Amino acid sequence: VSELDIWGNLRDRVLAHRGTHTTDFGDPYRVPASDYTSADIHQLELAKVFFGGPVVVGLSGAADGPGGWFTVDVSGVSVIIVRGEDLHLRAFLNACPHRGMKLLSGFGTGMRRITCPFHAWSFDEAGANRGIPTREAFDDYSEAELSLQSVAVVESHGVIYLSLGEQPIDAVKELGGVQCELDLLGAADHVLIDRQERVLAMNWKLGVDSYMEAYHLHYLHKASLRPYFYNDSSPFDSFGKNGRIGGVRRTIDNANWDDPQALLQHITLEYQLFPNAVLIYQQDHFELSQVFPHPHKVGIATVVQSVYAPRENLTAERIERFRKSFMLLLDVTVAEDFSACEVIQRNLASGSPTVLHLGRNEPGVAHFHRSLHAALQ
Ligand code: FES
Ligand SMILES: [Fe+2]
């Protein structure tokens, strides 16, 4: 499928909605409040989804070039992802085989050895032990016992999937067709420039829900986003378990349509990559939000927000500009979206309401819940 077809079709759908003040409709969906408050459902989600199958942990550019690395906490299980000299990604549990120290945190480039801060054991890019002070004290142990434990990782079309489960990762199946658009947007050619993490008093799904409809843009974001966005005219498409909505900018009314790519200047594309990632394309860069459930508490989640900039022409000045717009967006999401999520969580935990009612105009949220429901069967 050509670029012209994909963005051209999307543009035509958006413009048709502009004319009629409509938006893409799906089916209504009732979400039981217990989905957000039940400890049993929480444990099932952890076992089946987060510890049992693939999870999106970042874009390829989070570990950029040989020695590029980053860490991620999958609901308490910390993992290191590192790109070797051969440019292949490998992942290891972020726990030293000696006495269990965390080896790394954050992200970076050019790493040749992973060295433990506790007793300075060191490991190579394949996880093999390459150095132990007072080596003879550990002669009784096998090389395997002294080396890092591998975790399954696959990158495909710019997306990195990691799995703590038994099954091999089938990235093509996980992507479900969304790779066409990710390729057009150059997902593989963006590098991680900043990442922020915060713990919030909400179930992880409320965080995902908040991204997947444009309906609230005119009300919850009255002062911040309403001046720039419409809250209708949103296209929705599903790609297997994943979904994508568009947030349409008011500038679309004065767009110059000689170039079908022009659409990308007037729409924010939000991809829900199952289970817990929302990848947002904002005109010329990506932002990634990942919401991880707490390993025990149903009403606590960690949100990791990252900004990725195109690798090409990445000057210090451009990095600064991307970082600034990222900070502005974080301010809005934290002050408006996530604080609403925390209020909602308290209501749900109190026992009212017992059911949430998704409208036909919220197909992105409904698709996420349907996909999750299917995955838990
Ligand atoms: S815990 Fe890592 S070297 Fe001792
Ligand atoms: Fe929002």
Side-chain angles (χ1 to χ4, degrees):
V1 197
S2 81
E3 201 151 349
L4 201 78
D5 289 339
I6 289 188
W7 306 136
N9 287 341
L10 207 54
R11 173 200 59 200
D12 293 347
R13 285 165 60 193
V14 171
L15 292 180
H17 280 312
R18 281 305 321 128
T20 49
H21 300 282
T22 49
T23 198
D24 273 6
F25 270 19
D27 292 324
Y29 190 81
R30 293 177 181 84
V31 194
S34 57
D35 278 13
Y36 301 93
T37 59
S38 152
D40 290 346
I41 292 173
H42 188 66
Q43 285 311 314
L44 190 64
E45 289 171 348
L46 286 166
K48 283 226 175 187
V49 176
F50 289 91
F51 301 148
V55 177
V56 174
V57 290
L59 295 187
S60 292
D64 199 40
W69 64 275
F70 67 102
T71 63
V72 62
D73 265 33
V74 180
S75 295
V77 181
S78 186
V79 179
I80 300 170
I81 292 113
V82 59
R83 192 178 301 281
E85 286 295 329
D86 57 4
L87 295 181
H88 278 95
L89 283 185
R90 293 178 186 78
F92 310 102
L93 292 181
N94 190 4
C96 183
H98 177 219
R99 302 257 303 277
M101 185 64 177
K102 200 175 233 191
L103 299 162
L104 290 170
S105 76
F107 62 96
T109 52
M111 187 169 59
R112 306 187 64 92
R113 287 274 188 275
I114 300 168
T115 302
C116 180
F118 201 172
H119 310 89
W121 286 25
S122 62
F123 308 89
D124 66 18
E125 64 181 42
N129 193 310
R130 288 308 189 94
I132 297 182
T134 321
R135 180 69 177 82
E136 63 278 16
F138 297 89
D139 283 351
D140 300 301
Y141 298 106
S142 68
E143 280 308 310
E145 285 177 291
L146 303 176
S147 294
L148 300 182
Q149 206 176 317
S150 291
V151 173
V153 67
V154 166
E155 71 183 317
S156 184
H157 299 272
V159 176
I160 304 175
Y161 284 102
L162 181 134
S163 177
L164 298 167
E166 317 264 86
Q167 301 293 324
I169 301 169
D170 182 346
V172 171
K173 182 173 152 229
E174 292 304 314
L175 288 165
V178 76
Q179 55 271 47
C180 276
E181 294 190 11
L182 297 184
D183 286 348
L184 292 180
L185 298 172
D189 305 317
H190 286 67
V191 296
L192 177 59
I193 60 172
D194 203 355
R195 188 171 85 167
Q196 303 273 324
E197 201 173 302
R198 67 198 81 230
V199 177
L200 295 159
M202 65 180 188
N203 182 264
W204 69 278
K205 296 186 290 298
L206 285 177
V208 174
D209 294 347
S210 71
Y211 286 101
M212 292 314 293
E213 43 90 1
Y215 186 25
H216 73 282
L217 291 181
H218 281 195
Y219 315 111
L220 188 68
H221 302 306
K222 207 179 320 169
S224 54
L225 299 180
R226 183 175 186 152
Y228 307 104
F229 284 90
Y230 288 117
N231 75 334
D232 57 16
S233 315
S234 268
F236 167 74
D237 291 287
S238 63
F239 305 87
K241 293 183 278 186
N242 311 308
R244 186 257 296 121
I245 66 158
V248 177
R249 291 172 190 272
R250 292 179 187 269
T251 55
I252 200 163
D253 296 336
N254 308 310
N256 172 357
W257 293 120
D258 296 344
D259 171 14
Q261 279 255 27
L263 176 71
L264 300 176
Q265 296 311 309
H266 306 292
I267 195 167
T268 295
L269 298 172
E270 310 207 339
Y271 295 89
Q272 206 273 305
L273 301 179
F274 190 85
N276 68 329
V278 180
L279 179 64
I280 306 172
Y281 186 75
Q282 298 265 35
Q283 297 175 316
D284 59 357
H285 67 283
F286 282 100
E287 283 145 6
L288 180 67
S289 277
Q290 298 150 280
V291 198
F292 289 101
H294 186 277
H296 310 295
K297 296 174 189 155
V298 63
I300 303 285
T302 300
V303 181
V304 183
Q305 288 162 296
S306 315
V307 56
Y308 290 80
R311 186 184 290 108
E312 212 165 295
N313 306 324
L314 199 55
T315 59
E317 197 182 325
R318 271 167 65 79
I319 288 179
E320 205 36 49
R321 187 168 66 75
F322 287 123
R323 190 172 280 137
K324 264 202 188 117
S325 86
F326 176 56
M327 290 304 161
L328 285 176
L329 181 95
L330 286 193
D331 288 350
V332 172
T333 6
V334 173
E336 298 176 3
D337 295 287
F338 295 150
S339 68
C341 292
E342 291 189 320
V343 170
I344 293 166
Q345 184 69 32
R346 287 198 292 275
N347 263 347
L348 298 175
S350 80
S352 78
T354 55
V355 180
L356 303 184
H357 303 92
L358 299 176
R360 291 184 179 278
N361 58 347
E362 299 169 287
V365 185
H367 185 70
F368 163 54
H369 285 273
R370 282 201 188 88
S371 297
L372 181 61
H373 196 258
L376 296 179
Q377 296 313 300

